[in-house]
Amino acid sequence: VSLDDLRASYDNNYVFMTLHMEPEVSTLSFSVEFTNCLEAIAVISKILPANQCLVVKEHPHSLGVRARFFYKTLLKIHNVIFLDLESETSEVIANSFAVATITGTVGVEGVLQNKPVLSFGKYQLIHCLDSVFYVKNYDDVRNAIEVINNLDTERLSVNSERLKYVLLENSFDLPKFADNTSRHSIQEENARIAAEELERFLDVSSVN
C-alpha cells in the first residue's frame, strides 16, 4: 500500500517495522540471540488488536534476493501490510503509534520522533530509555504493547531529547566524509580522526 492509503485506513494506529537483510552483519553481530524477522512479525501480529496492524517495509537490497516463500508467508497474515518502497520512512514513523526493530536504525529514528520502540535486539544504546522495550518472546511483546498504549507523550519527548544530547555529545566531524563514502581508498586525515576518537572513547569507557 501507499502512505496515503495507510493514513486513510490506519492513521496513527499501526506498528512500523523495516525488514533486515538476512543474513546481515548487524543482526549477526549485535543480536545473536534473535535474528529472525519473520518470527518477530508473527509475534507482533498475534498481539495487536483488531483495529491495529503491522506495517512492513522491505530492505531495498533484499529485492530479488529474499525467497518468495517469505513474502507468501507474510501475505497470509491478515494484519500485516506491505508498504510501498517509495514511501518516506520518516513520514511512516510519524503516523505510527510504535516502531519495531531488531537492530535497525529505525529504532533510533522512532525515539527521535517521539515514538515508543519494540526492540528484539539485545545490545542497543536506546535500551537505556524507558520508552524502548527490549522484547524476547510473546509475553514480552504483549506486556510492552499494553504499556505503550498508555504511555505519556511527555515521557516520549523527554527521551527524544536525551537521545539527541547523547548523540551530539559523542559525535565528531570527518572532513569531506560524504566525498569519500563511495571510494575504496582510505583518506588518511579521516582515518586519523576516527582512530583518535576511538581511543578517546575507549579511555573514557575504561574509567567508567
Side-chain angles (χ1 to χ4, degrees):
V1 301
S2 67
L3 180 55
D4 289 338
D5 292 335
L6 189 61
R7 283 172 174 160
S9 302
Y10 292 98
D11 195 27
N12 294 116
N13 215 20
Y14 60 84
V15 176
F16 177 54
M17 181 175 184
T18 53
L19 298 181
H20 294 268
M21 293 184 65
E22 295 181 273
E24 183 179 340
V25 172
S26 63
T27 52
L28 293 176
S29 300
F30 303 120
S31 183
V32 294
E33 299 83 1
F34 195 104
T35 60
N36 191 333
C37 286
L38 188 56
E39 184 180 350
I41 291 170
V43 170
I44 296 171
S45 70
K46 290 177 182 178
I47 292 166
L48 292 178
N51 65 330
Q52 296 177 344
C53 71
L54 174 62
V55 175
V56 174
K57 186 177 182 182
E58 178 59 289
H59 193 296
H61 293 165
S62 289
L63 294 176
V65 177
R66 206 186 297 274
R68 290 184 179 181
F69 170 78
F70 178 88
Y71 301 111
K72 290 179 178 179
T73 301
L74 289 188
L75 289 173
K76 292 178 181 178
I77 306 175
H78 75 283
N79 60 350
V80 173
I81 296 175
F82 272 100
L83 186 68
D84 183 351
L85 282 176
E86 299 300 319
S87 298
E88 184 63 41
T89 296
S90 61
E91 294 183 30
V92 183
I93 294 174
N95 284 276
S96 69
F97 79 85
V99 170
T101 185
I102 298 180
T103 62
T105 56
V106 71
V108 172
E109 295 175 57
V111 172
L112 294 177
Q113 291 200 52
N114 301 340
K115 302 295 179 180
V117 178
L118 294 169
S119 173
F120 289 85
K122 188 174 182 179
Y123 307 103
Q124 294 206 70
L125 170 67
I126 55 176
H127 288 178
C128 297
L129 304 171
D130 58 9
S131 59
V132 177
F133 302 85
Y134 170 48
V135 292
K136 306 179 291 298
N137 51 47
Y138 179 92
D139 288 334
D140 286 348
V141 175
R142 182 186 60 190
N143 294 335
I145 292 292
E146 289 180 0
V147 175
I148 284 172
N149 282 324
N150 297 289
L151 269 182
D152 185 351
T153 55
E154 183 178 350
R155 177 174 165 187
L156 295 170
S157 179
V158 168
N159 282 340
S160 175
E161 293 303 316
R162 286 172 174 170
L163 182 59
K164 288 176 187 175
Y165 175 80
V166 170
L167 293 176
L168 290 173
E169 281 294 302
N170 292 278
S171 297
F172 55 91
D173 288 330
L174 279 179
K176 299 182 180 180
F177 174 76
D179 298 335
N180 290 276
T181 53
S182 61
R183 299 180 185 178
H184 295 291
S185 59
I186 298 176
Q187 188 187 48
E188 291 186 6
E189 180 62 12
N190 281 352
R192 182 188 63 77
I193 294 173
E196 289 177 355
E197 288 296 326
L198 176 60
E199 184 177 1
R200 182 184 66 81
F201 173 77
L202 293 175
D203 288 341
V204 172
S205 298
S206 63
V207 171
N208 296 334

